[in-house]
Amino acid sequence: MKIEDAIKSTTEMPIGKKTLLNITYTQNILSESFNELLKPYDLSPEQFNVLRILRGQKGKPANMCVIQERMIAKTSNTTRLVDKLLLKDLVIREVCTANRRKMDITITEKGLALLKELDPKVEAHENSYAANLDTDELHLLNNLLEKYRG
Amino acid sequence: MKIEDAIKSTTEMPIGKKTLLNITYTQNILSESFNELLKPYDLSPEQFNVLRILRGQKGKPANMCVIQERMIAKTSNTTRLVDKLLLKDLVIREVCTANRRKMDITITEKGLALLKELDPKVEAHENSYAANLDTDELHLLNNLLEKYRG
DNA sequence: ATTTTATAGTTGTATATACAAATGTATTGT
DNA sequence: ACAATACATTTGTATATACAACTATAAAAT
């Protein structure tokens, strides 16, 4: 669907406005369907994001500010986000011995198992959109976005 | 900045995942800077969006479900969004005489004046990103996004 | 005409988010 | 060593959002 139809715009938009709207709208579509995917697992996209960051640590714990900086959306309140994961036993949290200001957050086996269960679904989600473009177009899209951000 | 650096990813990502992440990340950058723009005006992006939809009505009122369907992000609770605008006298709300289930929402002079003040800033925001690409690239980006959504 | 179903919007409630202030620990300067 | 400053995280509070239940009106069915 064209962006103009999606937001029922009647008038022709300048290309700058249209591009911004198009990116915003596309991301909305993506996150809506991703939310659907996660709903049965009682996991928010942010929680999922944190789990995936922790898995990326390959056993090493991550502290709060590391999680924060690797998150796609820099949410305030990583604390409460991790709280939720703790309640579900998907992570453990302990004071870092080397620097007692920091917290060591580690993903649990249960967390890893949950991610493993989600992996194929997340991949299918990613690929369902990617499949609409060929490889060259995908690379082009990535390059254009990067250049667009400045 | 490359997406891999932005989220401090060490490993090479499959192109499908990367694209999705890139769109999400780009939109985050955009909305972050748009938020900054609106902050001095005590207006949320959603409130701004509603005002702009109402201006697009050119005097004609819009009812709630029309506002809802034209919004970029389909938020639940358009009611409370409009409540906020009402409190600031940016819109008026009255029961639609033709169909008493519906509400007629109209932007006020104050609302129009606020939009007018914002217009150049919003346009500058839009153009600051668009300026990083030439016209052909912008059209290409829009087409790729549309195709990507499927 | 009366019941049923559909539509439009609002409200209750639980949860999430943003932002600032507070807490506790480490580092630096004197 | 002690005060000042910086850093890492948490907590308080106000606001926003999601979702379901509710109210009111309109349209359709019997």
Side-chain angles (χ1 to χ4, degrees):
Chain A
M1 196 196 272
K2 276 205 156 51
I3 181 71
E4 287 89 349
D5 303 326
I7 61 160
K8 313 252 180 332
S9 167
T10 46
T11 55
E12 181 69 22
M13 267 182 280
I15 187 72
K17 188 182 290 285
K18 179 175 166 169
T19 307
L20 200 145
L21 225 54
N22 220 336
I23 293 167
T24 307
Y25 178 69
T26 305
Q27 192 276 331
N28 261 283
I29 299 281
L30 293 175
S31 69
E32 223 165 275
S33 83
F34 191 53
N35 259 299
E36 283 306 307
L37 191 161
L38 288 180
K39 198 171 288 174
Y41 300 90
D42 189 35
L43 211 58
S44 73
E46 293 77 16
Q47 289 172 17
F48 172 78
N49 194 202
V50 170
L51 284 184
R52 217 163 39 165
I53 289 165
L54 292 173
R55 178 169 65 180
Q57 292 290 101
K58 305 200 194 309
K60 269 201 316 175
N63 42 54
M64 301 303 267
C65 53
V66 165
I67 294 174
Q68 179 104 287
E69 82 176 5
R70 297 206 185 162
M71 286 186 42
I72 304 153
K74 313 297 175 206
T75 175
S76 56
N77 261 323
T78 312
T79 300
R80 279 190 265 246
L81 206 47
V82 169
D83 284 346
K84 300 290 154 51
L85 296 172
L86 264 171
L87 282 174
K88 296 182 237 179
D89 297 315
L90 300 173
V91 303
I92 55 171
R93 171 164 61 187
E94 36 196 1
V95 176
C96 170
T97 46
N99 186 340
R100 291 163 36 76
R101 284 176 299 188
K102 297 187 179 178
M103 295 306 250
D104 281 345
I105 318 293
T106 318
I107 189 167
T108 61
E109 282 304 320
K110 190 177 172 191
L112 287 169
L114 177 55
L115 282 187
K116 197 160 193 175
E117 191 180 346
L118 279 165
D119 278 338
K121 292 170 196 276
V122 172
E123 209 174 307
H125 169 251
E126 290 158 355
N127 291 340
S128 72
Y129 293 99
N132 295 321
L133 301 178
D134 64 36
T135 311
D136 285 349
E137 288 173 323
L138 285 170
H139 282 107
L140 187 52
L141 176 53
N142 277 282
N143 290 338
L144 288 170
L145 285 169
E146 190 191 320
K147 197 171 168 192
Y148 176 79
R149 286 197 300 271
Chain B
M1 195 199 272
K2 277 205 154 53
I3 181 70
E4 286 89 349
D5 302 328
I7 61 160
K8 314 254 180 331
S9 166
T10 47
T11 55
E12 183 68 24
M13 266 181 282
I15 188 70
K17 188 182 289 284
K18 179 173 165 170
T19 307
L20 199 146
L21 227 52
N22 219 336
I23 293 167
T24 307
Y25 178 69
T26 305
Q27 192 276 332
N28 261 282
I29 300 280
L30 293 174
S31 68
E32 225 166 273
S33 83
F34 192 54
N35 260 298
E36 283 306 307
L37 192 162
L38 289 179
K39 198 172 288 174
Y41 299 89
D42 190 34
L43 211 60
S44 74
E46 291 80 15
Q47 289 172 18
F48 172 78
N49 193 202
V50 171
L51 284 183
R52 216 161 43 163
I53 288 165
L54 292 173
R55 177 169 66 179
Q57 291 290 101
K58 306 202 193 310
K60 269 200 316 174
N63 42 53
M64 302 302 266
C65 54
V66 166
I67 293 174
Q68 179 103 286
E69 81 175 3
R70 299 208 182 162
M71 289 190 31
I72 304 154
K74 313 296 176 208
T75 174
S76 56
N77 260 323
T78 313
T79 300
R80 279 190 266 247
L81 207 47
V82 170
D83 285 346
K84 299 290 153 54
L85 296 172
L86 264 170
L87 281 174
K88 295 183 236 178
D89 297 314
L90 300 174
V91 303
I92 55 172
R93 170 164 61 188
E94 36 195 3
V95 175
C96 171
T97 46
N99 185 340
R100 290 162 37 73
R101 282 176 300 186
K102 296 187 181 181
M103 295 307 253
D104 279 345
I105 317 292
T106 319
I107 188 166
T108 61
E109 283 304 320
K110 191 176 171 192
L112 287 169
L114 177 55
L115 281 188
K116 197 161 193 174
E117 192 181 344
L118 279 166
D119 277 339
K121 292 171 196 277
V122 172
E123 209 173 307
H125 169 250
E126 289 159 357
N127 292 339
S128 72
Y129 292 99
N132 294 321
L133 300 179
D134 64 36
T135 311
D136 286 349
E137 289 173 323
L138 285 171
H139 282 107
L140 187 53
L141 176 52
N142 277 283
N143 290 339
L144 287 171
L145 285 169
E146 190 191 320
K147 197 170 167 191
Y148 177 77
R149 285 198 300 271

